[in-house]
Amino acid sequence: MDFSSIFATHRKRNIFFASISFIYAFFVYFLTVAPTTSFWDPAEYIAIAHTLQVAHPPGSPFFALVGRIVSMFMPTEYVALSINMISVVASAFTIMLLYLIIVRLIEEWRGPAEEMDFMDQVSTYGGALLGALTFTVSHTQWFNAVEAEMYASSMCLTALVVWLSLKWSANHDQPYAERWLILIAYLFGIGIGVHLLNLLALFFVAMIIYYKKVEFSIPSFLMMAGIAVLGFLSVYPGIVIWLPNLAGQIGPATYDLIGPITFIVIVVAALAYGIYYTHTHGHRLINMILLAYAMIIIGYSSYALVIIRSQAGPPIDENDPSTVEAFVSYLSRDQYGQSPLLMGNTFDNSIGAIDREDEVLFPRRHSAQPQHMQYYSNFDSDLDYFLGYQVNHMYVRYFNWNFIGREADIQDTGWYSGFSETRHSNNPANSGYFYLPLLIGLFGFLYHFRNDWKRALSILALFLLTGLAIIFYLNQTPYEPRERDYAYVGSFFAFTIWVGLGAAGIIEMIKDAVGNSKPVVFLSIGVMFLAVPGWMLVENWPSHDRSELYVARDYAYNLLQSLEENAIVFTNGDNDTFPLWYLQEVEGVRTDVRVVNLSLLNTDWYIKQLRDRQTHESLPLPINLSDQEIEEMTSQLELFNPQEIVIPVDKDLLSSVFEANPDQLEDSTSQFFRGGGLPEDVELTPMLYNQLRMAKDYSISVDEMDDEVRWYLEGRSAGRDSQGNERFYLQTQDKMILHILQNNQWIRPVYFANTVSNSGQLGLQNFFQFEGKAFRIVPKQREVGPFGYVDPEVHADRLEKFRFENWDSPDAYFNENIRRMLGNYRYGFTQLADAYMERGDTTSAAQWLKFGEDKIPVREIEHDWTIPTLYAYRYMRTGETDRANDLSMFISDQLQRELRYDMQELDDLESQLTSLEQDIQMARSRARTDEAQQLRSRLQRLANTRESLVQNISFSVSRLTILQNIFYENDELEAADLLRMEVNSITDGRLALPDSIGESRQRISQFGLN
């Protein structure tokens, strides 16, 4: 190969390095991509893309179309991977475009690369490549690149828009240069069908055009900004919301002379005529504007998929946008409500609640949920909350993750530079970059403004609008269910441009300092590549490698296999629903089961779908409410009087149904129905007929069932009234669960997934039977444990069907969410072991405990050490001495490590509390009331933190006490005594473990352990 020809011209060199950046990113992402579905939204997007169904608002129809194309010819087992690969390829193109963007920005002030001297060319290509490779392995970009989310595709479109803008800028004085701008408009339209974040790049485009076409002045700059805002609003909400809304309203306004389709045809025809007229009459600017809008509408037309597919009534049809009105509501995300932006009600610290009497400017603390208001009280004002939580915690923290380092993968943990010691040093996500990417980026920021402030200001606009502007718009509430850094990837992309420019500037400084010494310059470049993208690659690989991750798919499979045929299963929310949808819709597993998402069960459209639609083999649910009754239920929130709920058990009906041949129940004209198979007092309604076709008996006989299911339902707390009496309410989902149970008449199997919260279980725990990963509601009240009644044969039968692919792999990375779920699985094994031990069958108990640990080994990082500790304790009770000792020794090492950090943190907190108390006394003595009040608030927050920490320490010592008891009972007296001395040393004697087996047994009995 003739390398001299490859590097002969700038074009060839640029293509070569751009290709290197693409290939590098592609292989990094390809080697770490998830092989199947993931938790959260990717599972839903894979399902709706492969089968062209309707995702949650506002949808991503263009992504779905692309997903359908790439997956339609794939074998079932590779469908998920093929759609994940969309993100891989899109992200690799993003990296390549980033390289090209940085090169182009440098050329804006240095001139064409072809005319640069050799060392300037080196700094240009080297800086651009370093920036591209840095972004490749930054946390958020990598996270988005290896799963089927639309953020990777949206970022690719944004990068393409930025590059095309610079391409136009370089050729703006050439004939037909406007074609680049028309293409950008089309990409904006396409981008709407992926994610609206892409539209924020419009302001960058406007500034690039302005600086090339207009001489800078304050009035002209403000005019440009105003035009950009108007342009943005004309697209969103103009085209995206108002245009379909007008199409829906035009019928009544014209007495149905013009329908939605006719209106759209008129709009398109008028736009086409306008383009023709302005072209033939030489109105170039207006012609360009009309062409741009035409391109946006063409790109936006991918949304036709949503309304077309919704009218077909697919199994996944979120919000049912089958009418124009529902479609507009879908686009507007009405289901999620609206947060106030400029004016509204906010939290008032003086009354400890939302002040409904007075609207304020810039309301940030707007949610009336009790846990949110409790959090709001930690802040002195809306501005304090905005800066402290929304900006610092929900943006700056994520920014620092990408350019300084990340402390851990635990929810709400902060950033980490790598210079200090941290208790999370063994966490796979612990990564410190020693501030290097940040410092290079800040230098690049200054370097850019010094050399080309116009383009630097444009990048700054992109950085702010895709970061802090989103923070302002979202007006987020506390306690997000997951980290949200993926939404700000555009902002991190913009900053990485400065990382590349900063690297180019540093190379230039080195060149000037050493007098064009090539060895020194190339050595410096090599060091920078190793110190920044190289080190980030090493640090981030363990927590971004999903290549062995099958947990989400297996979780869905195991839950579905836990259910009887034709079951109804209530799931908690997105994270335990979407994987089930994926498995049913893509892999076709257990399509007889009807999955009922409890969070969606609060909406009218979802209840109507459950009432009216058959999905695969699953017939409609037993709901006999009218549309009006459903709409009234979902639009009102009424107080609930705690009361006993009674649902009768018709044993004659159940006996006749369960004893009948299933084939007889399928045909309403069969001998069963004509020959008196049903009790005489039972009327065969269409709803009952559907239920009979879905019937499945229980693991107990009908005679063993109670005559009625009776329990006390308190409801959810609604706070206290003015007299101090506690009030309660029921959510729509609670009312619908009761309605379904009553109408089901115990015929069709009904389950709760064991991830449903206690408040969502409606106090039915005494009627739960634990089966695999779900609680079946059985019409018999029994003595139950924390996970309901366990029938060993039934529970074991379910567990035998489970899949655990790669769950025992030491190389598989499990994040906090998965670690929490694994603990849930282990608890299922311990419950089965307990059931066998109650029968005196310690052999079966030990067998299942060993099976569980072999499939799900305890790791160095666990969500909670209580379940592993109890696992070791059960080993001891079943006579598995070696396993009990080995597991206890491993757990005790981890607990002692955590206890050391907790005690150190406690000492620091107590020191701070003492100092604050002194400051309060001093403020009081000087009559500084406001200062004393602020200090008291800080003191209270620290005291709450201390109380929580003391509780954690107490739990750790309790776990260590159990482990010590295992050593005592297994005659490992030396290990028991050593553990006692270690804990005594760590706590300075403040918390002591028992010093004899007798005292240990007494302590264990206090814990309620047998």
Side-chain angles (χ1 to χ4, degrees), residues 195-225:
H195 198 286
L196 289 170
L197 286 175
N198 179 247
L199 274 180
L200 295 172
L202 184 146
F203 297 95
F204 172 84
V205 177
M207 293 180 73
I208 292 297
I209 296 172
Y210 167 77
Y211 287 126
K212 282 296 181 183
K213 293 295 186 181
V214 180
E215 189 68 29
F216 176 79
S217 67
I218 298 298
S220 64
F221 183 84
L222 293 176
M223 182 178 294
M224 176 276 300

Short mmCIF file of all heavy atoms in Angstrom, two decimals, residues 195-225:
data_model
loop_
_atom_site.label_atom_id
_atom_site.label_comp_id
_atom_site.label_asym_id
_atom_site.label_seq_id
_atom_site.Cartn_x
_atom_site.Cartn_y
_atom_site.Cartn_z
N HIS A 195 -36.48 12.23 17.84
CA HIS A 195 -36.59 12.93 19.13
C HIS A 195 -36.52 14.43 18.88
O HIS A 195 -35.71 14.89 18.06
CB HIS A 195 -35.49 12.49 20.10
CG HIS A 195 -35.79 12.83 21.52
ND1 HIS A 195 -35.72 14.11 22.02
CD2 HIS A 195 -36.17 12.05 22.56
CE1 HIS A 195 -36.03 14.10 23.30
NE2 HIS A 195 -36.32 12.87 23.66
N LEU A 196 -37.33 15.17 19.60
CA LEU A 196 -37.41 16.62 19.38
C LEU A 196 -36.14 17.36 19.75
O LEU A 196 -35.97 18.52 19.38
CB LEU A 196 -38.59 17.19 20.17
CG LEU A 196 -39.98 16.83 19.64
CD1 LEU A 196 -41.06 17.24 20.64
CD2 LEU A 196 -40.23 17.50 18.30
N LEU A 197 -35.22 16.72 20.49
CA LEU A 197 -33.98 17.39 20.88
C LEU A 197 -33.21 17.89 19.67
O LEU A 197 -32.49 18.90 19.74
CB LEU A 197 -33.10 16.43 21.69
CG LEU A 197 -33.54 16.13 23.13
CD1 LEU A 197 -32.62 15.08 23.73
CD2 LEU A 197 -33.53 17.39 23.98
N ASN A 198 -33.35 17.21 18.55
CA ASN A 198 -32.64 17.59 17.34
C ASN A 198 -32.97 19.01 16.90
O ASN A 198 -32.13 19.72 16.33
CB ASN A 198 -32.98 16.59 16.23
CG ASN A 198 -32.30 16.92 14.92
OD1 ASN A 198 -32.96 17.26 13.94
ND2 ASN A 198 -30.99 16.81 14.89
N LEU A 199 -34.18 19.47 17.19
CA LEU A 199 -34.62 20.82 16.76
C LEU A 199 -33.82 21.93 17.44
O LEU A 199 -33.76 23.05 16.92
CB LEU A 199 -36.10 21.01 17.07
CG LEU A 199 -37.11 20.52 16.04
CD1 LEU A 199 -38.51 20.80 16.52
CD2 LEU A 199 -36.86 21.19 14.69
N LEU A 200 -33.23 21.63 18.60
CA LEU A 200 -32.48 22.66 19.32
C LEU A 200 -31.26 23.12 18.54
O LEU A 200 -30.73 24.20 18.80
CB LEU A 200 -32.07 22.14 20.69
CG LEU A 200 -33.23 21.86 21.66
CD1 LEU A 200 -32.73 21.17 22.92
CD2 LEU A 200 -33.97 23.15 22.01
N ALA A 201 -30.81 22.32 17.58
CA ALA A 201 -29.67 22.72 16.75
C ALA A 201 -30.04 23.83 15.77
O ALA A 201 -29.15 24.41 15.13
CB ALA A 201 -29.14 21.52 15.98
N LEU A 202 -31.32 24.15 15.66
CA LEU A 202 -31.76 25.22 14.75
C LEU A 202 -31.08 26.55 15.09
O LEU A 202 -30.73 27.33 14.20
CB LEU A 202 -33.28 25.36 14.82
CG LEU A 202 -33.96 26.35 13.87
CD1 LEU A 202 -35.32 25.83 13.46
CD2 LEU A 202 -34.10 27.73 14.51
N PHE A 203 -30.89 26.81 16.38
CA PHE A 203 -30.28 28.08 16.78
C PHE A 203 -28.81 28.14 16.39
O PHE A 203 -28.29 29.20 16.04
CB PHE A 203 -30.46 28.27 18.29
CG PHE A 203 -31.89 28.36 18.71
CD1 PHE A 203 -32.58 27.24 19.14
CD2 PHE A 203 -32.57 29.57 18.65
CE1 PHE A 203 -33.91 27.31 19.50
CE2 PHE A 203 -33.91 29.66 19.02
CZ PHE A 203 -34.58 28.52 19.44
N PHE A 204 -28.13 26.99 16.44
CA PHE A 204 -26.75 26.93 15.96
C PHE A 204 -26.71 27.25 14.47
O PHE A 204 -25.87 28.04 14.01
CB PHE A 204 -26.17 25.53 16.22
CG PHE A 204 -24.83 25.30 15.59
CD1 PHE A 204 -23.68 25.70 16.23
CD2 PHE A 204 -24.72 24.70 14.34
CE1 PHE A 204 -22.43 25.50 15.65
CE2 PHE A 204 -23.49 24.49 13.75
CZ PHE A 204 -22.34 24.89 14.41
N VAL A 205 -27.62 26.65 13.71
CA VAL A 205 -27.67 26.91 12.26
C VAL A 205 -27.92 28.38 11.99
O VAL A 205 -27.27 28.99 11.12
CB VAL A 205 -28.77 26.04 11.62
CG1 VAL A 205 -28.90 26.36 10.12
CG2 VAL A 205 -28.49 24.56 11.82
N ALA A 206 -28.83 28.97 12.74
CA ALA A 206 -29.15 30.39 12.55
C ALA A 206 -27.92 31.27 12.79
O ALA A 206 -27.67 32.23 12.04
CB ALA A 206 -30.28 30.79 13.48
N MET A 207 -27.15 30.95 13.81
CA MET A 207 -25.97 31.77 14.12
C MET A 207 -24.88 31.59 13.06
O MET A 207 -24.21 32.56 12.68
CB MET A 207 -25.44 31.40 15.51
CG MET A 207 -26.39 31.79 16.62
SD MET A 207 -25.80 31.36 18.28
CE MET A 207 -24.51 32.58 18.50
N ILE A 208 -24.72 30.38 12.55
CA ILE A 208 -23.73 30.15 11.49
C ILE A 208 -24.09 30.96 10.24
O ILE A 208 -23.23 31.61 9.61
CB ILE A 208 -23.64 28.64 11.17
CG1 ILE A 208 -23.05 27.87 12.34
CG2 ILE A 208 -22.81 28.41 9.90
CD1 ILE A 208 -21.63 28.24 12.69
N ILE A 209 -25.37 30.95 9.88
CA ILE A 209 -25.82 31.73 8.72
C ILE A 209 -25.63 33.22 8.97
O ILE A 209 -25.13 33.95 8.11
CB ILE A 209 -27.30 31.43 8.42
CG1 ILE A 209 -27.48 29.96 8.01
CG2 ILE A 209 -27.84 32.35 7.34
CD1 ILE A 209 -28.92 29.52 7.88
N TYR A 210 -25.99 33.66 10.16
CA TYR A 210 -25.90 35.09 10.49
C TYR A 210 -24.47 35.60 10.37
O TYR A 210 -24.22 36.64 9.74
CB TYR A 210 -26.42 35.29 11.91
CG TYR A 210 -26.11 36.66 12.49
CD1 TYR A 210 -26.83 37.78 12.11
CD2 TYR A 210 -25.07 36.81 13.41
CE1 TYR A 210 -26.55 39.03 12.64
CE2 TYR A 210 -24.78 38.05 13.95
CZ TYR A 210 -25.51 39.15 13.56
OH TYR A 210 -25.20 40.39 14.08
N TYR A 211 -23.52 34.86 10.94
CA TYR A 211 -22.14 35.35 10.93
C TYR A 211 -21.52 35.34 9.53
O TYR A 211 -20.55 36.06 9.28
CB TYR A 211 -21.29 34.51 11.88
CG TYR A 211 -21.56 34.79 13.34
CD1 TYR A 211 -21.88 33.75 14.22
CD2 TYR A 211 -21.52 36.09 13.84
CE1 TYR A 211 -22.15 34.00 15.56
CE2 TYR A 211 -21.79 36.35 15.17
CZ TYR A 211 -22.09 35.31 16.03
OH TYR A 211 -22.35 35.57 17.35
N LYS A 212 -22.08 34.54 8.63
CA LYS A 212 -21.55 34.52 7.27
C LYS A 212 -22.20 35.58 6.38
O LYS A 212 -21.60 36.05 5.42
CB LYS A 212 -21.74 33.13 6.64
CG LYS A 212 -20.73 32.11 7.11
CD LYS A 212 -19.30 32.48 6.69
CE LYS A 212 -18.30 31.44 7.14
NZ LYS A 212 -16.89 31.82 6.80
N LYS A 213 -23.42 35.95 6.70
CA LYS A 213 -24.19 36.79 5.79
C LYS A 213 -24.40 38.22 6.29
O LYS A 213 -24.73 39.11 5.51
CB LYS A 213 -25.57 36.16 5.54
CG LYS A 213 -25.51 34.84 4.75
CD LYS A 213 -25.01 35.07 3.34
CE LYS A 213 -25.07 33.81 2.50
NZ LYS A 213 -24.56 34.02 1.13
N VAL A 214 -24.21 38.43 7.60
CA VAL A 214 -24.55 39.74 8.18
C VAL A 214 -23.37 40.23 9.00
O VAL A 214 -22.74 39.46 9.73
CB VAL A 214 -25.81 39.65 9.06
CG1 VAL A 214 -26.16 41.01 9.65
CG2 VAL A 214 -26.99 39.08 8.28
N GLU A 215 -23.08 41.51 8.89
CA GLU A 215 -22.07 42.13 9.73
C GLU A 215 -22.60 42.24 11.15
O GLU A 215 -23.71 42.72 11.37
CB GLU A 215 -21.73 43.53 9.18
CG GLU A 215 -20.53 44.18 9.85
CD GLU A 215 -19.22 43.49 9.52
OE1 GLU A 215 -19.11 42.89 8.42
OE2 GLU A 215 -18.31 43.54 10.37
N PHE A 216 -21.79 41.81 12.11
CA PHE A 216 -22.28 41.76 13.49
C PHE A 216 -22.58 43.15 14.03
O PHE A 216 -21.80 44.09 13.90
CB PHE A 216 -21.26 41.09 14.40
CG PHE A 216 -21.67 41.10 15.85
CD1 PHE A 216 -22.59 40.20 16.33
CD2 PHE A 216 -21.14 42.05 16.73
CE1 PHE A 216 -22.97 40.21 17.66
CE2 PHE A 216 -21.52 42.08 18.06
CZ PHE A 216 -22.44 41.15 18.53
N SER A 217 -23.75 43.25 14.67
CA SER A 217 -24.12 44.41 15.48
C SER A 217 -25.16 43.94 16.47
O SER A 217 -25.84 42.92 16.23
CB SER A 217 -24.68 45.54 14.61
OG SER A 217 -25.92 45.18 14.05
N ILE A 218 -25.30 44.62 17.55
CA ILE A 218 -26.27 44.20 18.57
C ILE A 218 -27.69 44.13 18.00
O ILE A 218 -28.38 43.12 18.17
CB ILE A 218 -26.21 45.12 19.80
CG1 ILE A 218 -24.83 45.05 20.47
CG2 ILE A 218 -27.31 44.74 20.79
CD1 ILE A 218 -24.48 43.68 20.99
N PRO A 219 -28.17 45.17 17.28
CA PRO A 219 -29.54 45.08 16.74
C PRO A 219 -29.72 43.92 15.78
O PRO A 219 -30.72 43.20 15.85
CB PRO A 219 -29.72 46.42 16.03
CG PRO A 219 -28.77 47.35 16.71
CD PRO A 219 -27.58 46.51 17.06
N SER A 220 -28.74 43.71 14.89
CA SER A 220 -28.91 42.62 13.92
C SER A 220 -28.82 41.27 14.60
O SER A 220 -29.51 40.32 14.22
CB SER A 220 -27.83 42.74 12.82
OG SER A 220 -26.52 42.57 13.37
N PHE A 221 -27.99 41.17 15.65
CA PHE A 221 -27.88 39.90 16.38
C PHE A 221 -29.20 39.59 17.09
O PHE A 221 -29.68 38.45 17.06
CB PHE A 221 -26.75 39.97 17.39
CG PHE A 221 -26.52 38.68 18.14
CD1 PHE A 221 -25.74 37.68 17.59
CD2 PHE A 221 -27.11 38.47 19.39
CE1 PHE A 221 -25.54 36.48 18.27
CE2 PHE A 221 -26.91 37.28 20.07
CZ PHE A 221 -26.12 36.28 19.51
N LEU A 222 -29.80 40.61 17.70
CA LEU A 222 -31.08 40.40 18.37
C LEU A 222 -32.17 40.05 17.38
O LEU A 222 -33.05 39.22 17.67
CB LEU A 222 -31.46 41.65 19.16
CG LEU A 222 -30.56 41.98 20.36
CD1 LEU A 222 -30.99 43.29 21.00
CD2 LEU A 222 -30.60 40.85 21.40
N MET A 223 -32.11 40.65 16.21
CA MET A 223 -33.08 40.33 15.18
C MET A 223 -32.92 38.87 14.75
O MET A 223 -33.91 38.14 14.56
CB MET A 223 -32.93 41.26 13.97
CG MET A 223 -33.96 41.01 12.86
SD MET A 223 -33.78 42.16 11.48
CE MET A 223 -34.21 43.69 12.29
N MET A 224 -31.67 38.44 14.58
CA MET A 224 -31.42 37.04 14.22
C MET A 224 -31.97 36.11 15.30
O MET A 224 -32.61 35.09 14.99
CB MET A 224 -29.91 36.82 14.07
CG MET A 224 -29.50 35.36 13.78
SD MET A 224 -29.32 34.32 15.28
CE MET A 224 -28.04 35.21 16.16
N ALA A 225 -31.74 36.45 16.56
CA ALA A 225 -32.24 35.62 17.66
C ALA A 225 -33.76 35.54 17.62
O ALA A 225 -34.34 34.45 17.81
CB ALA A 225 -31.76 36.16 18.99
#
